[in-house]
Amino acid sequence: QVAAMRNQPVYALQSIVQANESLLALIDADWTFLNDELMRVYKIKKDQFDERIVQQLVRVTLPEQYRYRGGLLGMGGVYIVSSYPGRSSPVLRGAWVLDKMLGVELPPPPPGIPPLDESPAAIESQTMRQRFELHRQDATCASCHNRIDPIGFAMENFDEIGVWRDRDAGGTIDPLAVLTDGTQIDGVAGLKQHLMNDSDAFIRVLCRKMLGYALGRSLHPTDLCTVELLVQRLRDNDYRAQELILGSVTSETFRQKIVRGLDP
């Protein structure tokens, strides 16, 4: 199952690029890649799908009851890398979305942070969210956690390997969260909509990553104009994936790199 979870987002991106589909499908889509193993882990019923599910990962259209599986935030691999062994982590999840999907640089945690209450009594009497809200009452913790945790709370319906749940050991999960600007996001569906509402922020992250990969180096401040030109190109072309590749390799920044590389 580890290999299938690792490959699920890879296959999704490959499919988007090959078919020249919108990169926004990485945020949300009405399809995903599944195989027998993932369906068993995710507790998904095969008879709800028109496609034949086999051992290999195949692209399937998601019925409405499994629509939450569309996009990166429906894939177990995301939750494995943003959880602790044996439990979810709103902090790791919120930080993952801010960093990987929105390009927000978070400061390192300050020293002397009190640990989360992990006692059996606390785990059985309070949900993960309730324990973190007590944790956030410390002013030292709240400064960053008020920004990070709400995003993580919206993802709490997934356990540490991405299986959907309505309860954790402490009770019923409440996925409704309020961002620092007052925006309410209701669960992972609300989080996806929030990301779609500011889709250029996500696209800008992809453009930075692609341009840096094409150049073979970290981006410099002088590269930011090229990034914005890539964002505009994608916006003008319905965010089609191949436009990101074409825009990167035809950019002045990339072409100047090639010319300098040919100089004696």
Side-chain angles (χ1 to χ4, degrees):
Q1 80 188 41
V2 173
M5 287 187 176
R6 182 184 63 240
N7 290 333
Q8 192 181 19
V10 175
Y11 279 40
L13 179 58
Q14 183 180 55
S15 177
I16 290 169
V17 173
Q18 288 179 341
N20 199 23
E21 295 178 332
S22 171
L23 288 164
L24 299 183
L26 292 171
I27 298 177
D28 195 18
D30 62 359
W31 57 268
T32 192
F33 276 81
L34 292 172
N35 66 357
D36 281 327
E37 197 170 29
L38 284 182
M39 295 193 80
R40 183 171 64 255
V41 172
Y42 292 159
K43 300 178 182 178
I44 293 176
K45 297 178 181 179
K46 277 188 176 183
D47 59 9
Q48 302 298 309
F49 292 79
D50 295 330
E51 296 87 353
R52 180 170 175 265
I53 312 298
V54 292
Q55 185 176 356
Q56 292 77 29
L57 285 166
V58 294
R59 178 164 163 164
V60 298
T61 301
L62 291 166
E64 189 58 36
Q65 70 183 100
Y66 297 120
R67 186 65 172 74
Y68 61 87
R69 285 288 170 196
L72 292 174
L73 298 183
M75 299 181 184
V78 168
Y79 296 96
I80 289 177
V81 301
S82 60
S83 298
Y84 290 112
R87 76 163 174 86
S88 63
S89 172
V91 175
L92 294 182
R93 292 176 177 184
W96 189 91
V97 171
L98 287 169
D99 177 28
K100 306 299 184 185
M101 301 188 76
L102 294 173
V104 175
E105 294 187 15
L106 295 169
I113 296 177
L116 183 70
D117 188 351
E118 297 277 20
S119 66
I123 292 173
E124 293 177 4
S125 63
Q126 298 171 319
T127 63
M128 180 66 70
R129 175 173 184 153
Q130 290 168 335
R131 285 188 283 149
F132 265 98
E133 286 179 339
L134 289 173
H135 187 68
R136 290 164 65 203
Q137 290 177 5
D138 186 302
T140 304
C141 302
S143 59
C144 285
H145 283 271
N146 286 340
R147 188 179 191 184
I148 298 171
D149 292 4
I151 294 174
F153 292 150
M155 302 163 74
E156 266 295 281
N157 280 119
F158 291 97
D159 71 8
E160 64 273 13
I161 63 170
V163 177
W164 185 268
R165 61 185 180 172
D166 294 311
R167 298 176 58 86
D168 66 11
T172 302
I173 290 170
D174 176 11
L176 181 66
V178 181
L179 304 182
T180 53
D181 63 359
T183 301
Q184 289 192 348
I185 48 177
D186 191 359
V188 72
L191 178 55
K192 290 178 182 180
Q193 187 58 56
H194 174 69
L195 293 171
M196 291 291 280
N197 290 344
D198 190 19
S199 57
D200 276 5
F202 173 69
I203 292 299
R204 189 169 288 108
V205 172
L206 290 183
C207 290
R208 290 176 64 92
K209 296 290 186 183
M210 175 58 74
L211 185 61
Y213 177 78
L215 297 174
R217 61 168 173 78
S218 299
L219 297 188
H220 303 152
T222 53
D223 299 320
L224 297 183
C225 287
T226 302
V227 171
E228 292 306 312
L229 288 172
L230 288 173
V231 173
Q232 184 63 52
R233 177 172 181 147
L234 284 165
R235 189 188 300 126
D236 293 342
N237 290 278
D238 299 322
Y239 303 100
R240 300 293 176 185
Q242 293 176 16
E243 294 297 326
L244 175 56
I245 300 170
L246 291 171
S248 297
V249 299
T250 59
S251 68
E252 185 70 17
T253 304
F254 183 82
R255 288 187 287 115
Q256 287 300 315
K257 173 186 183 312
I258 297 300
V259 170
R260 287 193 296 269
L262 294 176
D263 287 342

